[in-house]
């Protein structure tokens, strides 16, 4: 089996890996449920490559993500549900249907009008799917994935709610809500109620995600940036101590704080 730019080669490799007799024991043992964490991880690695501007790494990470699609499709084919070609057909059908201004007669061109048209088409799709399956009509927030990262889902939930007018009118009202939620966190902590503390912290985080939306900031991306910044600065503490022949275990909190402040002063993200 040799590498190739042809998608058929990748499909053939996946089939060989999943062969019960001659394939890879690890690949054969996998299920949809066991593969999902890898699928999510690969999507994050694609995002990381984009944020770092590393196009060579992006090429490799997109390949890893494509493998996940092929893996799921192969398992579905083995179960008699669908194959990779059906996945391709489904997305091409959806793209053509959702872009009548490109592939049809509609002549809508502005981004705002296109977004509104997209929403109408998606709503019609959901209604049709529910009717076909004999399900209750879809509710407004039903298609916000429950498995999405919590901050991203909070952002999507508030965006969807805002589209029908359920939203704060002013950013300062969201800030006031955050102060209110923080006070409730403090009250729960003072009462020593762990479950209440968790609930109130959840409310606080949700309100912060809502503020990010009002400020046109992606909360997930903002937190990833802060995580990266924290990692850089903490590494600087370790490096500074290592230069003295010491480790983190040897340092006091005050020493680590001094190195942290020094690292903060040396970086552009201070």
């Amino acid at each position: 089996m040799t590498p190739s730019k042809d998608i058929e080669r990748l499909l053939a490799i996946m089939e060989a890996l999943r062969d019960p007799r001659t394939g890879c024991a690890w690949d054969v043992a996998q299920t949809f449920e066991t593969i999902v964490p890898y699928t999510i991880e690969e999507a994050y690695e694609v995002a990381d490559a984009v944020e770092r501007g590393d196009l060579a790494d992006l090429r490799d990470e997109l390949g890893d993500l494509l493998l996940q699609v092929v893996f799921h499709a192969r398992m579905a084919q083995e179960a008699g549900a669908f194959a990779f070609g059906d996945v391709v057909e489904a997305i091409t059908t959806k793209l053509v249907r959702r872009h009548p201004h490109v592939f049809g007669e509609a002549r809508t061109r502005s981004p705002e009008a296109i977004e509104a048209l997209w929403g109408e088409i998606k709503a019609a799709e959901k209604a049709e799917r529910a009717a076909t399956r004999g399900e209750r009509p879809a509710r407004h927030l039903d298609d916000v994935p429950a498995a999405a990262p919590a901050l991203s889902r909070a952002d999507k939930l508030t965006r969807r709610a805002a589209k029908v007018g359920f939203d704060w009118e002013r950013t300062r009202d969201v800030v006031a809500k955050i102060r209110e939620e923080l006070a409730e966190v403090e009250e729960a902590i003072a009462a020593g109620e762990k479950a209440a503390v968790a609930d109130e912290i959840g409310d606080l985080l949700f309100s912060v995600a809502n503020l990010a939306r009002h400020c046109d900031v992606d909360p997930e991306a903002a937190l990833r940036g802060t995580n990266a910044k924290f990692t850089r600065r903490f590494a600087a503490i370790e490096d500074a101590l290592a230069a003295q022949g010491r480790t983190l275990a040897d340092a006091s909190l005050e020493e680590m704080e001094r190195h942290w402040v020094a690292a903060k002063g040396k970086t552009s993200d201070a």
Side-chain angles (χ1 to χ4, degrees):
M1 191 74 74
T2 58
S4 171
K5 292 184 178 181
D6 189 341
I7 188 65
E8 292 297 332
R9 183 62 49 82
L10 178 57
L11 296 175
I13 289 173
M14 191 72 253
E15 181 180 359
L17 291 173
R18 288 280 297 178
D19 188 290
R21 294 179 296 103
T22 59
C24 170
W26 186 90
D27 290 283
V28 172
Q30 301 313 304
T31 65
F32 293 114
E33 291 76 17
T34 62
I35 284 296
V36 161
Y38 297 100
T39 307
I40 295 171
E41 180 181 342
E42 296 301 349
Y44 275 119
E45 291 184 359
V46 167
D48 179 63
V50 170
E51 289 181 357
R52 290 186 284 105
D54 189 335
L55 295 184
D57 198 20
L58 177 60
R59 176 200 61 202
D60 291 344
E61 297 301 345
L62 286 171
D64 292 343
L65 186 58
L66 176 59
L67 173 62
Q68 295 300 308
V69 176
V70 169
F71 208 137
H72 282 283
R74 179 63 202 175
M75 290 188 291
Q77 183 175 350
E78 293 167 359
F82 59 83
F84 182 78
D86 299 306
V87 175
V88 176
E89 182 181 28
I91 187 58
T92 53
T93 299
K94 184 183 295 184
L95 288 172
V96 171
R97 184 174 60 241
R98 292 186 180 180
H99 293 82
H101 54 292
V102 176
F103 304 110
E105 298 302 319
R107 289 294 173 260
T108 300
R109 290 297 177 187
S110 74
E112 296 77 15
I114 290 172
E115 184 176 2
L117 179 61
W118 182 287
E120 292 171 8
I121 294 171
K122 287 183 68 177
E125 289 173 354
K126 287 191 292 184
E128 181 182 348
R129 185 165 57 246
T132 301
R133 297 178 179 178
E135 301 170 347
R136 63 163 174 77
R139 296 191 178 98
H140 191 62
L141 302 179
D142 278 355
D143 62 348
V144 180
L151 274 178
S152 290
R153 187 162 193 258
D155 177 69
K156 292 181 186 298
L157 288 170
T158 59
R159 285 183 188 278
R160 291 299 305 278
K163 286 184 177 180
V164 293
F166 192 76
D167 193 16
W168 299 105
E169 292 185 0
R170 301 167 300 183
T171 300
R172 67 171 179 265
D173 294 330
V174 187
V175 174
K177 183 63 175 176
I178 289 174
R179 293 195 180 101
E180 176 189 324
E181 297 296 353
L182 180 58
E184 292 179 3
V185 169
E186 292 174 334
E187 290 173 8
I189 291 173
E193 300 172 0
K194 189 171 182 180
V197 171
D199 187 58
E200 297 299 345
I201 288 177
D203 291 346
L204 177 60
L205 289 171
F206 190 88
S207 296
V208 170
N210 205 0
L211 176 62
R213 177 180 61 83
H214 270 261
C215 296
D216 196 26
V217 170
D218 179 345
E220 193 75 27
L223 185 56
R224 282 201 303 271
T226 295
N227 287 343
K229 182 165 57 178
F230 181 89
T231 301
R232 288 194 300 272
R233 291 177 182 174
F234 198 84
I237 296 175
E238 289 188 88
D239 292 344
L241 290 169
Q244 302 170 0
R246 305 170 66 209
T247 67
L248 291 169
D250 302 323
S252 65
L253 177 59
E254 291 75 14
E255 286 180 287
M256 287 190 282
E257 179 66 22
R258 284 198 302 272
H259 289 305
W260 175 275
V261 171
K264 184 176 178 180
K266 291 178 182 178
T267 60
S268 60
D269 53 22

